[in-house]
Amino acid sequence: MPPPSPHPEESAPGPKAVALDVSAVPVPEPFYCRRCRRALNIRFNNLGMIVEYLHAAEQRGQTSDHRPEPAPVTEIPDPIIECDFCSAPDAAWIYRCANQVTDARRVTARVVAVGDYQARRHAARVRRTDTEHAFTQAWGERWSACEECAHLIEARDLYGLIGRVADAMPAKLTRGTHLMRTRGQLHERYSDVFNTLAPGRGRIAPGHPLGVWTQPPGEAP
Ligand SMILES: [Zn+2]
Ligand SMILES: [Zn+2]
């Protein structure tokens, strides 16, 4: 493998540029927070090491008043399993799909032409934006769903699900121009969920936070 290109503008940006073998990252079971008993999401650095835990609800635009205290879900007495889609408090089903990751990049430099800068200062046109890998968000293989969202998943109603979830989101994510971006992100994420959905689903029951499966998960016929 050649070393990374020293000229960021010549390397292809985006997920493909990051060499992270997610299949090598063991995610044996979901992590939950000991303090609030709710689901956590994991962020990796580009070496595949866990760098941060985040309440799953924070990914959906909600706020939290404490830092996550991660533990495997089976160690949490009476976990509160919310719908991973619309945040409804009572998830009824667990679906499984391919572990999905999104790469976030942070801007390290904005390059402007010298002449342009001298003439226009902060109005100077940005010629090039350099970015670096900030973190990889792992969404996990298991998605919990409330009865209503599960109906839409069973019907493979992608737009119905996006609409329902956007309606349930805080206004700051769906106000004005934010709505189109939010819907775009949901479309990308849920398309992958639908495309890689494993057969069957697990019914969440007391003492069975990973669901009771009528059909073995992940075993394609
Ligand atoms: Zn918590
Ligand atoms: Zn839901």
Side-chain angles (χ1 to χ4, degrees), residues 28-34 37 70-79 81 142 207-211:
E29 59 174 290
F31 282 96
Y32 269 59
C33 176
R34 282 190 196 280
R37 293 152 41 218
V73 64
T74 47
E75 290 180 18
I76 306 284
D78 202 13
I81 305 177
R142 295 181 183 83
H208 296 278
L210 303 179

Side-chain angles (χ1 to χ4, degrees), residues 82-91 144-150 152-153 161 164-165 168:
E82 295 174 333
C83 177
D84 282 330
F85 297 91
C86 74
S87 302
D90 301 303
S144 53
C146 67
E147 287 290 0
E148 290 301 311
C149 289
L152 297 167
I153 294 166
L161 185 62
R164 173 177 167 78
V165 170

Side-chain angles (χ1 to χ4, degrees), residues 121-173:
R121 294 283 151 169
H122 294 293
R125 191 165 60 90
V126 176
R127 307 286 287 261
R128 192 185 81 219
T129 302
D130 292 347
T131 62
E132 65 177 11
H133 179 258
F135 60 84
T136 297
Q137 173 74 47
W139 297 93
E141 297 181 344
R142 295 181 183 83
W143 290 71
S144 53
C146 67
E147 287 290 0
E148 290 301 311
C149 289
H151 283 314
L152 297 167
I153 294 166
E154 292 298 301
R156 299 294 190 272
D157 184 353
L158 182 60
Y159 287 97
L161 185 62
I162 291 169
R164 173 177 167 78
V165 170
D167 283 349
M169 277 182 152
K172 66 178 176 187
L173 292 180

